[in-house]
Coordinates of all heavy atoms in Angstrom, one line a residue:
S12 N 98.9 75.6 18.6 CA 98.0 75.6 19.8 C 98.5 76.7 20.8 O 97.8 77.1 21.6 CB 97.9 74.2 20.4 OG 99.2 73.9 20.9
T16 N 96.8 80.8 23.3 CA 97.1 81.1 24.7 C 98.1 82.2 24.8 O 98.1 83.0 25.8 CB 97.6 79.8 25.4 OG1 98.8 79.3 24.7 CG2 96.6 78.8 25.6
D18 N 98.2 84.9 23.0 CA 97.5 86.1 22.8 C 96.8 86.4 24.2 O 96.8 87.6 24.6 CB 96.4 86.0 21.8 CG 97.0 86.0 20.4 OD1 98.2 86.4 20.3 OD2 96.3 85.7 19.4
G20 N 97.8 85.5 27.1 CA 98.9 85.9 28.0 C 99.3 87.3 27.8 O 99.6 88.1 28.7
G58 N 113.5 139.1 56.4 CA 112.8 140.3 55.9 C 113.3 141.5 56.6 O 114.2 141.6 57.4
I83 N 112.7 120.3 69.1 CA 114.1 120.5 69.3 C 114.4 122.0 69.5 O 115.4 122.4 70.1 CB 115.0 120.0 68.1 CG1 116.4 119.8 68.6 CG2 114.8 120.8 66.9 CD1 117.2 118.8 67.8
K85 N 113.8 125.5 71.4 CA 113.3 126.0 72.7 C 112.2 127.0 72.6 O 111.3 127.0 73.4 CB 114.4 126.4 73.6 CG 115.1 127.7 73.2 CD 116.1 128.1 74.2 CE 116.8 129.4 73.8 NZ 117.8 129.9 74.6
S89 N 110.4 133.2 67.4 CA 111.4 134.2 67.8 C 111.8 135.0 66.6 O 111.4 134.7 65.4 CB 112.7 133.4 68.3 OG 113.2 132.6 67.3
S96 N 127.5 138.8 57.4 CA 128.6 138.2 58.1 C 128.2 137.1 59.1 O 128.9 136.2 59.3 CB 129.5 139.2 58.7 OG 128.8 140.0 59.7
L101 N 127.6 131.3 60.4 CA 126.8 130.1 60.5 C 127.2 129.0 59.5 O 127.4 127.8 59.9 CB 125.3 130.4 60.4 CG 124.4 129.1 60.4 CD1 124.5 128.4 61.7 CD2 123.0 129.5 60.0
P114 N 124.6 124.4 51.8 CA 124.5 125.1 50.5 C 125.2 126.5 50.5 O 125.6 127.0 51.6 CB 123.0 125.4 50.4 CG 122.5 125.3 51.8 CD 123.4 124.4 52.6
Q124 N 130.9 146.8 45.7 CA 131.5 147.5 46.9 C 132.6 148.5 46.4 O 133.2 149.2 47.2 CB 132.2 146.5 47.8 CG 131.1 145.6 48.5 CD 131.7 144.5 49.4 OE1 132.7 144.8 50.0 NE2 131.1 143.4 49.4
P126 N 134.2 151.9 44.8 CA 133.8 153.3 44.9 C 133.4 153.8 43.5 O 133.7 153.2 42.5 CB 135.0 154.0 45.5 CG 136.2 153.1 45.1 CD 135.7 151.7 45.1
D131 N 123.9 152.7 44.4 CA 124.3 152.6 45.8 C 125.0 151.3 46.1 O 125.2 151.0 47.3 CB 123.0 152.6 46.7 CG 122.4 154.1 46.8 OD1 123.2 155.0 46.7 OD2 121.2 154.2 47.1
R143 N 118.4 139.3 50.2 CA 117.4 138.8 51.2 C 116.8 137.5 50.8 O 116.7 136.6 51.6 CB 116.3 139.9 51.4 CG 115.3 139.5 52.5 CD 113.9 140.2 52.3 NE 113.2 139.8 51.1 CZ 112.6 138.6 51.0 NH1 112.6 137.7 51.9 NH2 112.0 138.3 49.8
A154 N 118.2 125.0 57.9 CA 117.4 124.7 59.1 C 116.5 123.5 58.9 O 116.0 122.9 59.9 CB 116.6 125.9 59.6
I173 N 122.1 137.7 70.7 CA 123.6 137.9 70.4 C 124.2 136.6 70.2 O 124.0 135.6 71.0 CB 124.3 138.6 71.6 CG1 123.6 140.0 71.7 CG2 125.8 138.7 71.4 CD1 124.0 140.7 73.0
K176 N 130.3 134.0 69.6 CA 131.2 133.4 68.6 C 132.3 132.6 69.3 O 133.0 131.9 68.7 CB 131.7 134.4 67.6 CG 130.5 134.9 66.8 CD 130.9 135.8 65.6 CE 129.7 136.2 64.9 NZ 129.9 137.1 63.8

Side-chain angles (χ1 to χ4, degrees):
S12 66
T16 55
D18 285 348
I83 198 157
K85 69 177 179 182
S89 64
S96 59
L101 174 64
Q124 296 176 35
D131 285 333
R143 183 203 66 75
I173 297 167
K176 296 191 178 173

